[in-house]
Amino acid sequence: MSIVTKQREPLRLPIKTEAELDKISNLPGHVIDQILSHLPIRDAVRTSVLSRKWRYKWATIPYLVFDNQCLNVSSQDQTFIKNKLVNIIDHVLLLHSGPLHKFKLSHRDLLGVTDIDRWILCLSRSSIKEFILEIWKGQRYKPPSCLFNCQNLIHLELFNCLLKPPLTFKGFKNLRSLDLQHITIIQNVFEHLISSCPLLERLTLMNFTGVTHLNIDAPNLQFFDIGGIFDDVSFQNTVHLSLVSIGLYVNIDDEDNDAEENSSKLLRFFANLPHIRRLEVQSYFLKYLAIGNVPSRLPNPCVDLNYLSIRIDFDDLEENIAAQCLLRSCPNLQELEMLVSFVYLLT
């Protein structure tokens, strides 16, 4: 009697298709775009090696950011770093295709090199909407006139720059946010710049030179943040302005106060702020508001003001009077922060 044994056939695994094996190449286009948008430009360029579909996909990124993460070198040679950075930006802009909405250049070793002129010229030929330039070293950089041709700009941010628009400049008609820090700009140019941006909603101005009288004429302005040295500030057509943070970085001498006319700075400051909701009075600005004849309360109370922050010297009688006027004029105040200034006398 013979026994017949049946051999078991080996288990056959289902054959995976090429699409199943290469899932990363078959991600939807919008997912790839999201991944690339969250990567430093250096890593985004490296994704070209992943697959044919990813090759040069980075060249269509609409947001380009060149900061400290885009360059990883151990050398301390500033010339080497500068050349490396210039080569990277040149390479990316040369190969870039499609719309370019945002360009940010902020590297700790970046100087105001003339190469920036060439890059801005390239950007001015596109529909750039956000432009951020931060020069961390060297003298203030003067952007070329072609920057002021970027009429699609919605957000403009400049750090350590000298602003001198061409005489033909008619303003940024679509600009909604302007952030200027450590800049030099003369009085009439500043006033023309602000008044020529009819849609401007946010204005930040920090550590500036060339402007002593801040005349703010902006009908759509909602947010105003300023800190620096100036002689005067006034508002026109600012009925929508609701958030104000303002700091005066130099103390005002009592002798200067005596020389002022009797009209109240406090009254003039609030005359065109009917809907202010949040106010921060920093550094020595309360001293400025105390100039002139301060009333016991404002003729038109700040009924919308619900947050008030004041830096005050309780030993200064004028500041105390100005602060009391403010408090009496805010019937709906919900939050109050008082930062006390101390003066130490050495004996």
Side-chain angles (χ1 to χ4, degrees):
M1 180 178 178
S2 61
I3 300 175
V4 179
T5 59
K6 185 177 181 181
Q7 293 183 344
R8 295 181 59 187
E9 296 184 0
L11 182 64
R12 294 184 178 181
L13 297 176
I15 300 175
K16 292 186 177 182
T17 65
E18 182 180 352
E20 291 175 317
L21 291 173
D22 190 9
K23 292 183 178 181
I24 196 169
S25 295
N26 290 279
L27 289 172
H30 70 279
V31 174
I32 295 177
D33 292 338
Q34 281 293 316
I35 293 173
L36 291 173
S37 67
H38 288 85
L39 290 175
I41 190 66
R42 178 189 62 197
D43 295 332
V45 173
R46 290 175 175 173
T47 60
S48 289
V49 303
L50 294 177
S51 72
R52 182 178 301 173
K53 187 175 181 179
W54 283 72
R55 189 170 301 163
Y56 295 117
K57 182 68 175 175
W58 62 268
T60 62
I61 301 175
Y63 307 103
L64 297 181
V65 177
F66 300 96
D67 54 15
N68 296 332
Q69 298 184 60
C70 77
L71 187 62
N72 185 18
V73 293
S74 58
S75 174
Q76 300 298 319
D77 187 338
Q78 297 299 312
T79 301
F80 174 80
I81 295 175
K82 175 255 182 184
N83 292 336
K84 188 73 173 177
L85 184 62
V86 168
N87 289 336
I88 290 175
I89 299 175
D90 280 342
H91 178 75
V92 171
L93 288 179
L94 178 65
L95 296 179
H96 192 273
S97 60
L100 184 54
H101 296 155
K102 176 181 178 179
F103 183 91
K104 179 179 179 180
L105 180 56
S106 175
H107 193 280
R108 61 175 177 267
D109 295 310
L110 178 66
L111 297 170
V113 293
T114 55
D115 301 272
I116 301 177
D117 293 3
R118 183 176 68 255
W119 302 330
I120 293 178
L121 177 60
C122 176
L123 296 174
S124 68
R125 295 168 178 168
S126 65
S127 299
I128 189 73
K129 295 181 179 180
E130 295 184 53
F131 181 72
I132 301 171
L133 176 62
E134 297 176 340
I135 308 294
W136 294 100
K137 291 184 177 181
Q139 297 180 342
R140 293 190 172 173
Y141 165 73
K142 180 184 175 183
S145 59
C146 57
L147 172 65
F148 301 94
N149 294 331
C150 300
Q151 287 301 307
N152 291 304
L153 277 177
I154 295 176
H155 174 76
L156 175 61
E157 190 173 332
L158 301 173
F159 186 97
N160 193 25
C161 290
L162 167 63
L163 289 187
K164 192 175 181 180
L167 296 176
T168 55
F169 177 61
K170 302 300 182 182
F172 294 114
K173 303 306 179 184
N174 294 294
L175 196 68
R176 297 180 182 273
S177 175
L178 179 61
D179 189 331
L180 304 176
Q181 301 191 39
H182 293 273
I183 64 146
T184 297
I185 183 172
I186 61 176
Q187 183 77 39
N188 64 328
V189 172
F190 171 76
E191 293 180 6
H192 176 64
L193 174 62
I194 301 304
S195 62
S196 299
C197 300
L199 300 182
L200 191 64
E201 298 175 354
R202 299 177 63 88
L203 174 59
T204 299
L205 187 63
M206 294 288 173
N207 298 301
F208 49 90
T209 56
V211 180
T212 57
H213 293 73
L214 296 163
N215 302 317
I216 309 300
D217 183 354
N220 282 293
L221 194 64
Q222 301 174 24
F223 173 90
F224 181 50
D225 186 9
I226 178 177
I229 299 174
F230 52 90
D231 295 333
D232 197 22
V233 58
S234 62
F235 299 99
Q236 301 177 47
N237 303 319
T238 52
V239 294
H240 296 293
L241 186 53
S242 59
L243 286 81
V244 176
S245 178
I246 185 165
L248 179 60
Y249 293 169
V250 63
N251 198 359
I252 300 174
D253 295 333
D254 291 334
E255 295 180 359
D256 294 337
N257 291 355
D258 294 338
E260 291 284 340
E261 58 186 52
N262 292 330
S263 62
S264 171
K265 295 287 189 183
L266 191 65
L267 287 175
R268 192 159 67 92
F269 180 78
F270 285 96
N272 288 290
L273 299 177
H275 300 297
I276 186 169
R277 292 189 295 107
R278 181 184 180 98
L279 174 62
E280 297 179 3
V281 177
Q282 302 178 359
S283 301
Y284 297 102
F285 191 65
L286 185 60
K287 186 77 169 179
Y288 166 88
L289 292 177
I291 295 175
N293 294 327
V294 178
S296 61
R297 65 182 68 232
L298 296 174
N300 297 311
C302 303
V303 294
D304 295 324
L305 192 68
N306 55 49
Y307 176 89
L308 177 62
S309 175
I310 304 178
R311 180 170 291 279
I312 184 172
D313 178 4
F314 283 125
D315 293 327
D316 189 304
L317 178 60
E318 287 77 17
E319 287 192 22
N320 280 269
I321 293 174
Q324 290 174 23
C325 173
L326 269 178
L327 293 174
R328 294 191 189 104
S329 305
C330 305
N332 299 313
L333 191 65
Q334 298 177 6
E335 294 183 60
L336 173 63
E337 179 184 52
M338 302 193 77
L339 307 174
V340 182
S341 299
F342 292 98
V343 178
Y344 295 97
L345 299 178
L346 298 178
T347 58

